[in-house]
Amino acid sequence: MNGIPIEAGLIVAGILFMLGMISVLIRRNIIFMLISVEVMLNAAGMAFIVAGSKWMQADGQVMFIFILTMAAAEVSVGLALILQIYHQLKTLDSDAANKMNG
Amino acid sequence: MELIWLIPTLPFLGAFILIVLNSRLSKGVSAAIGSGTIGVSAIITLLAGYDFLSSGLESFRHVAWEWMDVDTLSIAFAFHLDALSLVFLFVITFVGFLIHVYSVGYMHDDAGFTRFFAYLNLFVSSMLILVLADNLVLMYLGWEGVGLCSYLLIGFWYEEEKNGYAARKAFIITRVGDTAMAIGLFMLFMSFDTLNIQEILTKAPQAWTVGSQTAVVAAFLLLGGAVGKSAQLPLQTWLPDAMAGPSPVSALIHAATMVTAGVYLIARMHVIYELAPLAQTWVGIIGAATLTIAGFSAMTQWDLKRVLAYSTISQIGYMFLALGIGAWSAGIFHFMIHAFFKALLFLGAGAVIHALHNEQDMFKMGGLKDKMPVIYWTFLIGAASLAALPLITGGFYSKDQILWLTWASDKGNIWFFLAALGGAFITSIYTFRMIFVTFFGHEKTHIGHMPGASMTIPLVVLATLSTFGGFIELPHTFGHVTIFSNLLGPVLPNVVLREGVESSEPVIQIIAAVMALSGVYIAYYFYQKRSDLLPGFKSAIRDTYNFWFGGWGFDTLYNNLFVRPFVYIATINKNDVVDKFYTGLVRVSEFFNRVFVRTQSGVLRWYIMGVVIGAILILTLSLFVNP
Amino acid sequence: MEAIFYIASAVAILSTIMVITRYNMVHALLYLVVSFLAVAVIFYVLGAPFIAALEVIVYAGAIVVLIIFVIMMLNLKQESVEQEEKWLTKRVLVGPAILCIILLGELIYILSTSDVTVLDGNQVDSKEVGRSLYTTYVIGVELCGLLLMSGIVGAYHLGRQKKKVVHRFLEKTEE
C-alpha cells in the first residue's frame, strides 16, 4: 500500500494551527480564546507526531506527551484566572481588562 | 627671600577666610584679617627686598609647585623676584595696606563690609601673582584674577543697576584686550616652545632679528592686552564708568595697581619690544594720543571722580610714552610716584564725597578749605604732584624726566615732546580747576561728618611719599641722583640719548616748569578770579566742549559699531533658532511616543495580533532574505 | 490506510471550523471533542497508538470536561450567546484571515521545497515510548511533574474567592 506523504500530515497540522490562530484573533470572549489555544497546541503536537513517525523513533511521541502535560496545567491555571476575572469584572470580555495601557 | 611665596598667598588666604566665614565675622575681625594680611605681606616684602638687595643677586626664583607638565610645556607656580618686581611689590603692598586701613573707615557703615575686604584681598593677591610670575601663564592667571576682582568691586553696590552695567563694561572691554594677549602668548609659545619669561627674553634676540615680522605681531598682540587693562586708546572707555565703585576701589585698582599691569607687561617683555621697533613706536604713539585726549576730556568733567579717572588715563599715557621711547626706568619711576599721588587724590576725593553725603558734583562743593584742613592740604600736595609743580613735588621729577627724554632719546621725536608738553599744561589746568572749585569759594553743600583717623592717616602717609618719593631720582641739573635707575639697571636697559643733547636739559626743565605754573594761573583766573567769564567761554565752544565731555565720542562709536548690531541680531534671533532645533528633537520624540503608545492599549487581542505579525515577519525574513 | 487518514483529517478540519464559528460555548466544546477524536484517529494511522489513546483520555476527557465545569460554574445565561453574536461579526474576520493565510502559505512553501517522504505506517508502540521517556527524557518527566504540581497549587490558590468582609453599617450599600 502506498504511504501517506509526510507533507500531507504537516499540512493538516498547519491548517489546524492556522484555524486556531484565526479563532484566537477574532474572539473577544476569554473562554473562546482558551479553547482556540487548545486547538493550536493540539495542532503543534500533531506536527511532532508526524515527524516522529517519519524517523520511526519515540522522540516525537515523547514531545507530544510533554506538550499535553503543559496544556493541561495551563488550562487549569487559566481557568482559575478566568474565574477571578469574571468575579472582578463581572464580564467575560477580554477588552475589559485593559487597565495596563498607555 | 625664601618667603616670597607668602606674599601673594597671605592675601589669598585672607580672602578665602573672609568669603567662607562672611556672615559670622564681626566688622573688627574682618578689618583685622583684611588689612592684616596685606600688612604682613608688606613686611615680608621689605624683608625680602632687603635680603635681595644686600645679596647683590640679579634675580631670584622660587618654585612653589609644578602646575602643568605637558610635552614641552612646563608651567610651575614659580615666583621670580628682581628689581622690577620688587618695585611693583613695594607699591602694591604698601599702597594696598594704606588703602585697606582707609577702607575700614570709609566702608564702616556698609552692609557688605566683610565682602569688600574679601574682594580687596583677592585682588591684591592676584596682582601680586601677576608681578611675581615667573612664566606668562601664571601672569595670565593673575591678569584674569584682577579682571575678575575689578568686576566684583566696581559692581560692589550691585543693587543699583548702573553699577552692574559699569562693571560689565569694564570686564568686556578688558576681555577684548585679554584675548589679544592670549593669542600673543600662543605665538610666543609657538616660536620659543616655552612660556618662561626669562627663557623667552634670552632666546628672543637669538631667534629674531630686529624688525622681524613675528616679533612685531607678538609685540602688537601683547600691546593689545596691555591697552585693555591699562585703559589706553582704543580700549579706554571703561575707566570713567568704573568710578561707580567705592572710592577705595578706584584708588587701589584704577589708579595704583591694575591699570598699571599693562605697563608692567611691556616693561617685563622689553626685549621683544626692542626687537620690534614698529611696535615700540606704536606704544609711544598710543601713549601720546591717549594723554592728550584724556587731558581734554578731564577739563570738561563736573564729577570729581571722573576728573581723576581721565587723569589716570592721561598719566598712564605718559608711562606708555616713556616705554615707547625706550625710557624704561623713567616709565617705572613715574608709575611709582603716580601710584602714590593718585591713590592720595582718590582717597581724598572719597573723604570729601563721604563727608558731603555722596555728593560727587564738584560744582556743588566749595569752601572746604577751612572746614577740612587735613584733607585739603593732603589733596593739595597730591594735586601739586600730579601737575608736576617744580622742585617740591615727586611728580615733577618723574614727569619731567619723561618730558626730557621725549626730546632727548634717540627714539623720541618732536611730536612726542609737544604732546607731552601740551599734556603737562592741560594736566595743570584741570588739576587746579579741581582744587579751586572743590575747596575754595562758598560752601554749597554742608558737611555731614568729618572723616575719622583711619581715613586721614593714610592720606598723610601718602602725601609724604608723594613729596619725598621723588628725591631718589634727580636729574643732572640737580645733582644727578640715580638711585632708582641703578636699582632697575640689571633688569631694564638704559635709555640711549641722542648726540650732544645733554646741554639742553635745563632749558627743557624750565619750559616744563613754566607750563605747569601757567596752568595753575589759568585755572586760578578762570575759576576763581573771573569765573563770570566761564559761561560765555563755554557756550562759544559748546560743541567741542560736549565732544570732549563725552570722551571724544568713543562711547557712541562703540555703541553704534558693536552694541547696536549685536542687539539687532539678538532681537532677530529672539525665538532662538538654535533652540528650535533642540525643541524640535523633543517634539519629534514626543510624536513617536504618541504613535507607539497606541500599541500599549491593554487590549489582549492587540498583543496577540502583534505576536502573529511578528511571527510572520520573522518567517518571511528567514525564508526569502538571505538564508 | 491513507483513505482513513484523509477522511479523518477532513473531519478534524471541518469540526475545527465549526468550533471557531459557534456562538454557544458548549456547542463549540462539543465540536472540539469531535475534532480531538478525529485527530486521535490520525495519530493511530500514523503509527502512534499510545498517543492516540492519550489524546482521547487527556485532551477530550479531561481538558474539555474541565472547561465545561468552569462554564457551568460561571452560570452564563442566554445573553452571553447574544453577546457573542454581537462580537463575532464577519468584519473582524478579515484581518486575521489574511494574516493566517499568509502564514499558511509560507508553511506550505517550506514543505513543498523539501523532499517527498512517504510514511508507511509502522508503529512505534508504547513500550518504546516508555523506554525513551524514562531513560533519555527522564529529566523532562521530572520537570513535567513539577509543572503539574505548580499547576495544581496555582489553580487552587487562584480559584479561591474570599468573602469580602464588610462592616454591617456599610452592608446597605451592597445589593
Side-chain angles (χ1 to χ4, degrees):
Chain A
M1 85 194 130
N2 286 331
I4 307 158
I6 192 172
E7 289 73 29
L10 287 175
I11 287 177
V12 170
I15 292 178
L16 283 179
F17 184 84
M18 186 203 78
L19 286 173
M21 197 148 77
I22 290 182
S23 175
V24 168
L25 290 173
I26 65 176
R27 291 286 194 173
R28 242 165 109 160
N29 195 323
I30 300 185
I31 297 190
F32 273 110
M33 281 187 183
L34 196 63
I35 296 172
S36 321
V37 169
E38 292 309 311
V39 171
M40 282 163 73
L41 281 170
N42 187 36
M46 186 156 129
F48 270 105
I49 300 292
V50 169
S53 173
K54 171 185 186 236
W55 295 103
M56 299 294 290
Q57 284 180 343
D59 295 349
Q61 301 185 24
V62 168
M63 274 318 296
F64 183 82
I65 293 181
F66 292 153
I67 291 178
L68 197 60
T69 319
M70 186 226 85
E74 171 225 334
V75 163
S76 46
V77 174
L79 286 171
L81 283 173
I82 289 175
L83 277 178
Q84 282 290 348
I85 289 180
Y86 185 72
H87 276 285
Q88 298 271 357
L89 301 173
K90 302 286 187 284
T91 174
L92 281 176
D93 186 1
S94 67
D95 287 350
N98 65 348
K99 284 241 184 86
M100 280 183 72
N101 61 354
Chain B
M1 241 185 334
E2 306 291 324
L3 297 175
I4 55 171
W5 66 273
L6 273 178
I7 300 179
T9 320
L10 281 175
F12 184 77
L13 278 175
F16 186 70
I17 294 176
L18 288 173
I19 290 176
V20 167
L21 299 176
N22 193 349
S23 47
R24 283 184 247 159
L25 294 175
S26 71
K27 282 197 178 159
V29 175
S30 359
I33 294 180
S35 318
T37 51
I38 311 289
V40 176
S41 284
I43 295 175
I44 298 181
T45 312
L46 268 181
L47 293 174
Y50 180 70
D51 209 5
F52 174 71
L53 292 171
S54 59
S55 71
L57 285 174
E58 263 198 27
S59 69
F60 174 72
R61 183 169 183 257
H62 175 84
V63 180
W65 77 82
E66 281 296 320
W67 187 12
M68 299 182 232
D69 202 353
V70 179
D71 203 22
T72 52
L73 180 67
S74 170
I75 309 287
F77 256 83
F79 300 119
H80 175 90
L81 182 67
D82 61 9
L84 179 62
S85 49
L86 191 61
V87 169
F88 271 83
L89 277 181
F90 172 68
V91 170
I92 297 169
T93 47
F94 271 91
V95 175
F97 178 64
L98 292 171
I99 293 177
H100 273 75
V101 173
Y102 177 91
S103 310
V104 174
Y106 188 83
M107 299 296 288
H108 191 262
D109 299 320
D110 196 292
F113 189 77
T114 316
R115 185 164 59 101
F116 187 74
F117 276 98
Y119 291 160
L120 270 186
N121 267 16
L122 188 61
F123 170 80
V124 174
S125 163
S126 305
M127 190 73 200
L128 289 170
I129 290 182
L130 202 160
V131 299
L132 276 176
D134 175 49
N135 52 62
L136 285 169
V137 177
L138 194 58
M139 187 196 281
Y140 196 71
L141 172 72
W143 196 271
E144 294 299 315
V146 297
L148 169 71
C149 294
S150 172
Y151 169 80
L152 290 171
L153 285 164
I154 295 175
F156 184 72
W157 289 315
Y158 55 83
E159 281 106 3
E160 264 198 61
E161 239 183 74
K162 68 172 174 64
N163 295 340
Y165 288 147
R168 234 183 293 170
K169 182 174 174 181
F171 192 74
I172 293 177
I173 294 184
T174 49
R175 209 79 192 99
V176 174
D178 293 346
T179 316
M181 182 171 151
I183 300 178
L185 254 56
F186 297 153
M187 278 200 65
L188 284 175
F189 182 66
M190 243 173 43
S191 312
F192 298 116
D193 235 8
T194 173
L195 281 173
N196 189 312
I197 296 181
Q198 298 304 315
E199 284 180 29
I200 292 181
L201 294 183
T202 40
K203 279 191 192 169
Q206 299 156 5
W208 291 336
T209 58
V210 175
S212 93
Q213 215 173 13
T214 345
V216 172
V217 173
F220 266 109
L221 286 170
L222 289 177
L223 176 61
V227 156
K229 249 332 173 258
S230 297
Q232 300 294 292
L233 238 56
L235 297 173
Q236 89 283 14
T237 49
W238 64 269
L239 191 50
D241 290 323
M243 296 299 117
S247 297
V249 170
S250 308
L252 184 59
I253 298 187
H254 307 128
T257 42
M258 184 177 103
V259 291
T260 53
V263 177
Y264 174 75
L265 177 67
I266 297 181
R268 197 37 111 191
M269 310 300 286
H270 60 94
V271 174
I272 298 187
Y273 283 93
E274 282 168 353
L275 290 170
L278 181 64
Q280 198 177 11
T281 320
W282 270 93
V283 174
I285 294 175
I286 287 178
T290 312
L291 73 90
T292 29
I293 289 178
F296 279 115
S297 289
M299 279 203 296
T300 61
Q301 302 294 325
W302 47 257
D303 184 339
L304 184 57
K305 285 176 72 174
R306 278 180 91 99
V307 177
L308 292 174
Y310 277 108
S311 160
T312 307
I313 300 177
S314 181
Q315 295 302 305
I316 299 181
Y318 267 103
M319 295 179 217
F320 268 58
L321 179 58
L323 297 174
I325 57 174
W328 307 99
S329 53
I332 305 298
F333 186 48
H334 191 59
F335 149 72
M336 191 172 84
I337 305 295
H338 171 263
F340 295 144
F341 65 69
K342 197 42 76 66
L344 170 62
L345 284 172
F346 266 109
L347 293 182
V352 167
I353 292 172
H354 195 66
L356 293 179
H357 288 297
N358 297 326
E359 175 58 64
Q360 290 190 292
D361 187 349
M362 283 197 296
F363 289 95
K364 296 210 179 76
M365 306 175 188
L368 298 171
K369 179 163 69 97
D370 306 308
K371 302 273 170 55
M372 307 169 75
V374 180
I375 310 286
Y376 169 63
W377 281 105
T378 50
F379 202 85
L380 188 60
I381 292 175
S385 215
L386 173 57
L389 292 187
L391 292 178
I392 51 168
T393 59
F396 171 67
Y397 295 107
S398 64
K399 193 187 286 191
D400 197 61
Q401 201 179 23
I402 298 179
L403 217 57
W404 151 246
L405 287 169
T406 54
W407 172 257
S409 157
D410 67 339
K411 291 205 180 90
N413 61 46
I414 187 73
W415 299 109
F416 285 160
F417 177 67
L418 287 176
L421 200 58
F425 181 55
I426 299 174
T427 306
S428 195
I429 296 181
Y430 69 66
T431 312
F432 277 90
R433 163 183 182 259
M434 190 170 58
I435 295 267
F436 287 133
V437 171
T438 315
F439 289 98
F440 284 65
H442 306 287
E443 187 182 343
K444 296 194 189 68
T445 312
H446 192 63
I447 295 180
H449 57 94
M450 294 291 291
S454 77
M455 283 167 72
T456 44
I457 293 180
L459 291 175
V460 172
V461 176
L462 283 171
T464 325
L465 281 172
S466 311
T467 318
F468 296 106
F471 291 144
I472 62 175
E473 181 80 9
L474 300 175
H476 294 274
T477 44
F478 296 116
H480 200 89
V481 178
T482 52
I483 301 178
F484 197 77
S485 31
N486 286 346
L487 176 69
L488 285 177
V491 183
L492 297 173
N494 285 323
V495 63
V496 178
L497 298 177
R498 281 188 298 165
E499 295 286 322
V501 90
E502 309 252 332
S503 52
S504 46
E505 193 174 347
V507 177
I508 304 289
Q509 287 182 335
I510 293 177
I511 296 180
V514 165
M515 281 289 159
L517 290 170
S518 51
V520 178
Y521 181 71
I522 291 185
Y524 172 70
Y525 188 77
F526 275 106
Y527 285 93
Q528 274 295 101
K529 206 148 134 207
R530 299 290 305 280
S531 48
D532 48 309
L533 286 178
L534 270 180
F537 191 64
K538 258 199 234 180
S539 58
I541 55 161
R542 195 164 34 120
D543 290 326
T544 329
Y545 188 87
N546 288 338
F547 182 60
W548 288 345
F549 182 73
W552 291 61
F554 270 94
D555 270 327
T556 349
L557 175 69
Y558 289 150
N559 193 27
N560 287 334
L561 202 55
F562 296 115
V563 179
R564 297 248 299 258
F566 182 74
V567 172
Y568 176 67
I569 294 177
T571 10
I572 291 181
N573 198 26
K574 208 164 34 156
N575 294 328
D576 205 355
V577 173
V578 178
D579 199 40
K580 276 220 178 337
F581 172 68
Y582 293 110
T583 49
L585 279 178
V586 171
R587 290 228 301 265
V588 165
S589 71
E590 274 179 0
F591 167 73
F592 277 112
N593 177 45
R594 275 196 301 272
V595 167
F596 285 127
V597 95
R598 292 211 220 114
T599 59
Q600 301 248 319
S601 58
V603 176
L604 190 59
R605 294 180 296 148
W606 282 83
Y607 295 159
I608 300 175
M609 182 81 83
V611 171
V612 170
I613 293 176
I616 292 178
L617 273 175
I618 291 175
L619 206 53
T620 319
L621 279 175
S622 64
L623 274 184
F624 298 115
V625 177
N626 218 0
Chain C
M1 211 40 143
E2 61 268 17
I4 303 183
F5 172 77
Y6 288 120
I7 296 172
S9 6
V11 169
I13 291 175
L14 277 172
S15 62
T16 312
I17 295 178
M18 294 305 275
V19 168
I20 67 181
T21 50
R22 293 303 99 201
Y23 297 135
N24 192 333
M25 270 181 238
V26 183
H27 294 179
L29 281 168
L30 291 173
Y31 276 109
L32 192 64
V33 173
V34 171
S35 168
F36 286 157
L37 290 175
V39 168
V41 170
I42 294 177
F43 284 167
Y44 186 81
V45 168
L46 288 179
F50 177 61
I51 298 302
L54 216 55
E55 169 96 9
V56 173
I57 298 172
V58 177
Y59 250 120
I63 292 179
V64 171
V65 169
L66 192 59
I67 300 178
I68 291 182
F69 281 167
V70 171
I71 293 175
M72 295 303 159
M73 260 207 297
L74 291 177
N75 206 8
L76 300 168
K77 310 249 186 339
Q78 180 61 19
E79 65 252 15
S80 74
V81 179
E82 284 151 9
Q83 204 178 42
E84 199 61 35
E85 246 176 289
K86 249 193 308 165
W87 284 344
L88 195 62
T89 59
K90 291 279 186 304
R91 204 161 55 88
V92 297
L93 196 60
V94 174
I98 293 176
L99 285 176
C100 294
I101 287 174
I102 294 175
L103 199 56
L104 188 65
E106 283 179 358
L107 271 169
I108 294 177
Y109 171 75
I110 295 174
L111 291 170
S112 62
T113 52
S114 54
D115 307 325
V116 177
T117 326
V118 171
L119 305 162
D120 51 5
N122 283 336
Q123 286 201 345
V124 180
D125 60 356
S126 44
K127 201 192 307 189
E128 239 183 275
V129 173
R131 195 176 299 140
S132 171
L133 199 56
Y134 280 94
T135 51
T136 322
Y137 292 107
V138 68
I139 193 168
V141 174
E142 305 291 331
L143 289 175
C144 277
L146 276 175
L147 180 66
L148 284 171
M149 192 183 79
S150 62
I152 292 176
V153 173
Y156 159 73
H157 180 74
L158 289 170
R160 269 198 313 172
Q161 276 125 41
K162 286 196 288 245
K163 220 61 188 121
K164 277 199 255 203
V165 178
V166 179
H167 199 271
R168 57 193 173 87
F169 285 155
L170 298 173
E171 268 174 18
K172 303 283 176 31
T173 61
E174 286 195 344
E175 57 172 13

